[in-house]
Amino acid sequence: MATAAPLLIPLSQLSRAVTDWVESARALTQPAGVRWCEGTEEEFRELTSRLVRDGELVKLNAEHFPDCHLYRSNPSDVARVEHLTYICTASRQDAGPNNNWMDPKEARAKMRGLFSGCMRGRTMYVIPYCMGPIDSPLSRCGVEITDSAYVALNMMVMTRAGRAALERIAGNGGFVRGLHSIGELDPNRRFIMHFPEELTIESFGSGYGGNALLGKKCHALRIASWQARSEGWLAEHMLIVGLQSPKGETHYVACAFPSACGKTNLAMLIPPASLPGWKVFTVGDDIAWLHPGPDGRLWAINPEAGYFGVVPGTNPETNRNAYEMIRRDTLFTNVAVTADNQPWWEGLSHGTPVTDWQGRPYEPAKGPAAHPNSRFTVAARRNPSYSPHAEDPRGVPISALVFGGRRREVAPLVYEARNWQHGVLVGASVASETTAAAVGQVGVVRRDPMAMQPFCGYNFADYWRHWLEVGSKLARAPKIFHVNWFRRDAHGKFLWPGFGDNLRVLAWMLDRCSGRADAAASGIGLLPRVQDLDTRGLSLDEGALRALLSVDPALWRKEVADIRTYLQSYGSRLPQALLAELENTERQLG
Ligand code: OXD
Ligand code: MN
């Protein structure tokens, strides 16, 4: 956020295309007033103070959590609503079996009805934003119109919002249109509609992050994945992390894991004391835009400027960087509070909650004090491990891509794909237990290809074809790996300690990328042998490590059959190369 500059052209006059669209949204929704966001610190502070005065935000303990606030959402509005999220393409096949589809005409009519007069008595906020560094050719812009000041505040943290973004739009024209209203927060009148062919998003009836901060999942993944296909790049649900080895070599790795599987923790990993000399730099924690570069490598930017992370479980042991980062200038959503007004969540070893996330006196019998999907919103530059290259307009070169899921069994701790094509199959086959980030049953295993099941804006079959095409253009393609930090023993206990120790697995991958480490071939790909992992200082018995690195052919034959059934549900659009790779795997499993 920049400092306000006097005597500038009013934002409402900078871009004719934006002004015309805002005017049509104003005529439809009939707000009491329109406010264009400049994106300055002063504006952010002023808006925050107003929301505190109006009782919409609670100011938290200023001594321990300076400039931190709490927002309590409507209890029916705490997660993404995948069943109410639609891709509205002219042809149903283009949205694919992986998406809910609605005819664009029907969707437009439905949304027109909902938006009609919905902002009466409210302020309409216009937020021009840029996803990615303002001066990067890899960035793309959008404008969100919303009647939620909470959404406006979040967008100001999560994106480069305000004048600079609008100047970029005015300079080169294109922008994604996002219209949002909280409506009456009625779960029965809640829809998140995407019109990729028109680069438009319409979201009604929810104020929750993934449904309402339209720059994030709606633009940077669903619409951007569509744009990326037509422009030859990839928009992915991936963190980006830089790892500097004790020898001083830095590699960047991009990792796709389903929601609430530890992407933020991995992006901010603290190396274990027993692996001295490693440094970790966060580029992004949730979304990566990956572009083939002129040098044949894949270059990545993080389109976001902040983190909208899951709070429970964050503590100095699991993620010291995140814990430090959220102690000031942070907007908390749906956490509990202590008697002296400090935020509290499950996983903190100190403090006692007195008020739960709904603002009621805390009673353990009524469930957790903080909502399991309670969140922090904080600027990325507050992260102690923020990479100096995160703002680089060229992005960072990617050495390895990593897919992963939350699986009690089947998937070993780590394996490497045989090549790019096999890697696309590995990504397409990701399965994971569901989490609290989306409404629905938690802990059920579902296929979540490339961790994009809720986020791919078009038919997965076409998406996998696009992945294969991007790979064929890369002279120096990243290696592709799969990890599973969540494997359990027969008693349900996690076998791998996770968190900082995940660096041991990443270090093996980087050694593979530089040709320095060995691996053993298996039916599913290449695995480290026990001696290939750096286990100095790791308190794990060899039996556990062997179990973590084991591939059970019988379980995998069943897995292959499941994957085949899943892939075949995409019919004739499915790239045959994926089935050929699957047959290859099956043959090698014996
Ligand atoms: C998120 C999600 O909020 O994936 O990042 O749900
Ligand atoms: Mn996510």
Side-chain angles (χ1 to χ4, degrees), residues 352-376:
T352 310
V354 294
T355 308
D356 75 5
W357 64 276
Q358 299 191 52
R360 306 172 303 189
Y362 171 55
E363 285 175 42
K366 287 193 176 151
H371 189 275
N373 194 32
S374 51
R375 297 281 178 147
F376 56 76

Side-chain angles (χ1 to χ4, degrees), residues 80 216-217 237 259 286 308 375 437 455:
R80 284 183 292 97
K216 193 172 177 60
K217 304 300 188 181
H237 191 204
S259 310
D286 194 41
F308 180 69
R375 297 281 178 147
F455 307 122

Side-chain angles (χ1 to χ4, degrees), residues 90-106:
S91 144
R92 182 181 205 133
Q93 302 314 323
D94 287 343
N98 46 303
N99 281 303
N100 299 316
W101 176 84
M102 200 181 288
D103 179 87
K105 281 198 220 64
E106 187 189 337

